[in-house]
Amino acid sequence: AQSVAQPEDQVNVAEGNPLTVKCTYSVSGNPYLFWYVQYPNRGLQFLLKYITGDNLVKGSYGFEAEFNKSQTSFHLKKPSALVSDSALYFCAVRARNSNSGYALNFGKGTSLLVTP
Amino acid sequence: NAGVTQTPKFQVLKTGQSMTLQCAQDMNHEYMSWYRQDPGMGLRLIHYSVGAGITDQGEVPNGYNVSRSTTEDFPLRLLSAAPSQTSVYFCASTKPQGASYEQYFGPGTRLTVT
């Protein structure tokens, strides 16, 4: 079985400060890991992914994430938050040997609020 | 490319009614899937398809049917709507190629069952 945990329902950050949105995963074997963002009343947009290689992955809008195999984590980070980053963020995982097609297991989501 | 399109955007049904949520993609993606999004529960997989003529159940398939007669279309049918099916439904597609696998999502259908 594969699963993702996002331990924080909400993260509050002041504009200009660094932000971190946490994600831990559980899979058998090596994972594919993803971050998606959802703005109000919109679908999910892909931010970044870890497939293999460098543990630090850079994605859209200045976001990055670090894959940590020993801690089974894939935290999303940004050095300087913008008010426009306020949205719902989802971490997702897929096991390399998954037998459910290419479906992803999503976390419950973390609401990010960046205040001016 | 229009990407992944879904219709309708909003729908209100009475308990027991049936309806079909439409999903289409113009990217020639083999893999398509349906998720439902409920507050505090993330996205849960309902059904998926790895290609035309092939479908399979996801995590929460009860009360839903799917078919995949073409690569482009993947409709989701609610056979007899129940209040528990009030949710936001997202269709997604991907073209497994190399080490890609990211999924492209439609804008969603917000369904209310009264």
Side-chain angles (χ1 to χ4, degrees):
Chain A
Q2 52 197 32
S3 64
V4 163
Q6 293 182 243
E8 302 152 318
D9 291 335
Q10 182 160 321
V11 170
N12 297 321
V13 176
E15 188 173 33
N17 283 0
L19 71 86
T20 298
V21 183
K22 295 180 180 177
C23 171
T24 58
Y25 67 89
S26 173
V27 294
S28 299
N30 293 318
Y32 295 129
L33 292 158
F34 302 82
W35 277 101
Y36 285 82
V37 60
Q38 184 181 32
Y39 298 100
N41 300 314
R42 304 286 294 275
L44 276 71
Q45 297 178 29
F46 169 76
L47 272 182
L48 51 80
K49 66 184 176 186
Y50 171 81
I51 302 297
T52 187
D54 195 348
N55 288 344
L56 183 63
V57 178
K58 294 189 183 297
S60 305
Y61 312 121
F63 283 94
E64 59 188 30
E66 186 167 10
F67 172 63
N68 187 318
K69 188 171 183 178
S70 62
Q71 296 186 4
T72 62
S73 67
F74 190 56
H75 301 330
L76 181 70
K77 300 181 180 184
K78 187 173 182 181
S80 179
L82 299 172
V83 172
S84 57
D85 293 330
S86 298
L88 190 58
Y89 290 81
F90 289 97
C91 183
V93 66
R94 175 180 176 266
R96 288 177 191 260
N97 59 352
S98 172
N99 59 3
S100 61
Y102 300 96
L104 301 177
N105 277 80
F106 285 86
K108 295 182 179 181
T110 298
S111 179
L112 174 66
L113 179 63
V114 182
T115 52
Chain B
N1 285 352
V4 180
T5 57
Q6 292 182 238
T7 56
K9 285 189 168 56
F10 301 95
Q11 183 71 50
V12 179
L13 290 179
K14 295 187 187 304
T15 297
Q17 288 184 316
S18 62
M19 78 160 295
T20 299
L21 279 64
Q22 301 292 343
C23 173
Q25 51 90 10
D26 61 358
M27 298 174 283
N28 199 31
H29 286 175
E30 294 99 344
Y31 180 83
M32 297 184 74
S33 53
W34 276 101
Y35 294 88
R36 59 177 289 173
Q37 182 181 21
D38 301 293
M41 301 187 74
L43 278 76
R44 293 181 291 168
L45 182 68
I46 304 172
H47 285 284
Y48 65 94
S49 169
V50 299
I54 306 170
T55 64
D56 207 343
Q57 296 181 351
E59 180 185 354
V60 288
N62 292 342
Y64 307 95
N65 273 0
V66 291
S67 60
R68 185 94 179 271
S69 56
T70 66
T71 299
E72 294 77 20
D73 301 299
F74 190 44
L76 178 73
R77 296 184 189 83
L78 279 70
L79 308 172
S80 178
S84 60
Q85 294 178 304
T86 294
S87 187
V88 182
Y89 292 85
F90 289 101
C91 180
S93 74
T94 192
K95 185 179 182 70
Q97 192 170 40
S100 179
Y101 302 119
E102 65 255 34
Q103 297 196 11
Y104 296 81
F105 284 82
T109 294
R110 187 174 295 271
L111 175 68
T112 301
V113 182
T114 60

